[in-house]
Amino acid sequence: MARRSRNNDITVDILLRAYSIGLFPMADAADDPELFWVEPEVRGIIPLDNFHVSKSLAKVIRKKPFDIRFNTDFEGVMAGCAAEVDNRPSTWINETIRRLYTELHEIGHAHSVEAWEGEELVGGLYGVSLGSAFFGESMFSRRTNASKICLVYLVERLRKKGFTLLDTQFTTEHLKTFGAIDVPKADYAKLLEPAVNSADILF
């Protein structure tokens, strides 16, 4: 289900309200001036108590190939996620989305997990926090396993802080290896309501 909206109609307050009722915005392409609201009939989530890390990835993580940082280069992570690459020649992240989510970051409702190699940003992910819910938006890698390791650190942080819902919007074969599942919209709403109505957790 999708509903189109003019960009100048959307504020960060409207964006947070949309997340609280199960909607999120996308664009058809980076140069598309419009956004549309998406409300999937089937939603992807990763149950925080059923997150799975493969033995091979755990072995890589123990070697600490990257310096993992939080919220030090949010705009850089968004740029990485929006960049065109060989296996992703187009993106749904347009300038309006970048502006809105940067504003969300500035008021404490959007966050990045970053993989650094020296002073080079080589992978990361970003998402939105509201109540005890975290809504994953996008991730990118310029080195093998960079985004996967960021996801592991994200889940570790969410568990420690007391988050109750990790929304992935959709599932992919990649996310399913970590325990992602599909839930019907009605079941998702039952998970969403108490999460977004709880006190905001400091990420």
Side-chain angles (χ1 to χ4, degrees), residues 29-65:
D31 58 356
D32 188 338
E34 287 193 329
L35 300 181
F36 58 92
W37 295 110
V38 181
E39 186 180 22
E41 290 299 317
V42 177
R43 195 74 165 230
I45 67 168
I46 295 179
L48 291 170
D49 59 356
N50 196 35
F51 184 68
H52 173 72
V53 180
S54 69
K55 290 181 179 178
S56 58
L57 183 59
K59 184 177 180 179
V60 171
I61 292 171
R62 285 194 293 271
K63 294 179 180 178
K64 298 184 177 180

Side-chain angles (χ1 to χ4, degrees), residues 86-105:
D86 290 343
N87 63 348
R88 189 185 62 210
S90 62
T91 176
W92 53 268
I93 301 173
N94 65 6
E95 285 303 317
T96 301
I97 285 177
R98 290 172 72 164
R99 174 180 59 80
L100 284 169
Y101 285 80
T102 298
E103 290 180 28
L104 278 183
H105 173 65

Side-chain angles (χ1 to χ4, degrees), residues 107-135:
I107 64 172
H109 279 288
H111 310 281
S112 58
V113 185
E114 308 146 11
W116 292 82
E117 197 172 71
E119 290 308 307
E120 182 183 359
L121 180 65
V122 297
L125 61 83
Y126 76 95
V128 173
S129 66
L130 183 62
S132 65
F134 189 91
F135 306 88

Side-chain angles (χ1 to χ4, degrees), residues 5 25-26 33 42 54 57 68 85 99 107 126-127 147 157 190:
S5 180
M26 296 182 75
V42 177
S54 69
L57 183 59
I68 304 299
V85 293
R99 174 180 59 80
I107 64 172
Y126 76 95
S147 63
R157 192 176 185 94
K190 294 175 183 177

Side-chain angles (χ1 to χ4, degrees), residues 51-54 148 172-180:
F51 184 68
H52 173 72
V53 180
S54 69
K148 292 180 181 180
T172 62
E173 292 307 310
H174 165 67
L175 290 175
K176 286 178 180 177
T177 65
F178 290 96

